[in-house]
Amino acid sequence: MSHRIEQPTSTLSLKEWAVAVKALGTGEQIITVRKGGLYEETREFKLENNRFYLYPTYEHQKAELVKPEYQHLLQATLKGWSANQSTVTIEYFAEVTDDIELMDEEKLRALSAYHIWTDSFADVRLRWKRKLPLHILFIRTYRLEQPISIPVDETYKGCKSWHHLLPELSQSGFQPVLSDKEYAQQKATIIEMLNT
């Protein structure tokens, strides 16, 4: 039976490196790793909703924190981009199916095969605010049939994970990046690894 979902009606969005959005959007990975933005009100990551848009950010991406085999995805996100960009394009929305807290460095290393980041990126995330767990978010990604370009507002800048996009986003068709079966298989593989 097919998984039924609707496009979010809220404009809530999660800021993520454009290369990570690209990896989620191409099915290269189904997880993202969060601990919190520098300016979160609670100083820790909190899942505000399990459905939201993916807002790609470009200026803080660091090539040395992306594995060599995914550098092409990073370069693709930077093609034609400039720091003076006045619009951003929203191409995807996400549904978090699972939020697993992790404090085990060995298990974080074992996750390496399932994401685009280098071990040093993952280590920095784990060690920052060491007493707080990492959130491993399992994300089912959906591609909008009509990507939406919106003006970049000042409120979108800074190191906060979440923000509400100011304009309403038009509702259109969308497709899951991975089939129900593909997503379920990838998720089961990762969860089995985390449980061993």
Side-chain angles (χ1 to χ4, degrees):
M1 184 174 158
S2 180
H3 178 69
R4 297 208 27 96
I5 190 170
E6 295 179 359
Q7 187 174 336
T9 51
S10 162
T11 61
L12 182 70
S13 66
L14 177 69
K15 286 171 73 174
E16 185 60 273
W17 283 10
V19 65
V21 173
K22 180 76 81 178
L24 291 165
T26 55
E28 296 275 355
Q29 70 183 44
I30 64 164
I31 60 169
T32 194
V33 180
R34 305 298 291 209
K35 191 171 266 193
L38 294 177
Y39 303 114
E40 305 293 359
E41 287 177 19
T42 60
R43 287 293 199 152
E44 62 183 282
F45 181 78
K46 181 179 168 212
L47 188 61
E48 292 200 8
N49 197 309
N50 73 332
R51 260 191 303 144
F52 45 82
Y53 292 94
L54 292 171
Y55 183 105
T57 61
Y58 301 83
E59 52 276 356
H60 300 301
Q61 298 188 115
K62 292 184 173 67
E64 67 272 17
L65 297 181
V66 175
K67 292 174 186 166
E69 61 267 36
Y70 296 108
Q71 290 292 323
H72 69 283
L73 288 182
L74 178 63
Q75 294 311 312
T77 69
L78 295 174
K79 196 173 181 180
W81 176 81
S82 83
N84 302 319
Q85 206 90 359
S86 61
T87 62
V88 65
T89 301
I90 307 297
E91 295 183 74
Y92 306 100
F93 72 88
E95 176 193 23
V96 173
T97 63
D98 301 83
D99 177 1
I100 295 177
E101 294 186 353
L102 184 68
M103 296 191 78
D104 185 324
E105 193 166 337
E106 196 174 306
K107 288 198 171 166
L108 180 62
R109 289 235 182 252
L111 273 177
S112 180
Y114 305 103
H115 61 69
I116 63 169
W117 301 294
T118 61
D119 285 342
S120 57
F121 173 89
D123 290 347
V124 166
R125 285 272 171 115
L126 185 63
R127 289 176 185 148
W128 182 59
K129 298 182 180 172
R130 189 178 283 278
K131 292 181 179 174
L132 297 176
L134 271 178
H135 289 259
I136 310 300
L137 302 181
F138 287 76
I139 290 183
R140 184 90 193 263
T141 306
Y142 297 83
R143 180 183 295 106
L144 297 173
E145 287 176 3
Q146 296 176 355
I148 307 162
S149 287
I150 60 172
V152 175
D153 191 84
E154 281 300 312
T155 60
Y156 302 162
K157 297 176 180 175
C159 296
K160 286 182 80 171
S161 297
W162 301 102
H163 57 91
H164 282 274
L165 305 174
L166 294 182
E168 286 188 18
L169 300 184
S170 57
Q171 301 285 300
S172 66
F174 59 86
Q175 290 293 327
V177 167
L178 296 173
S179 70
D180 292 351
K181 184 178 179 182
E182 289 170 324
Y183 182 79
Q185 285 175 338
Q186 285 196 37
K187 187 177 93 165
T189 299
I190 297 171
I191 287 179
E192 183 180 359
M193 183 276 300
L194 288 173
N195 287 335
T196 55

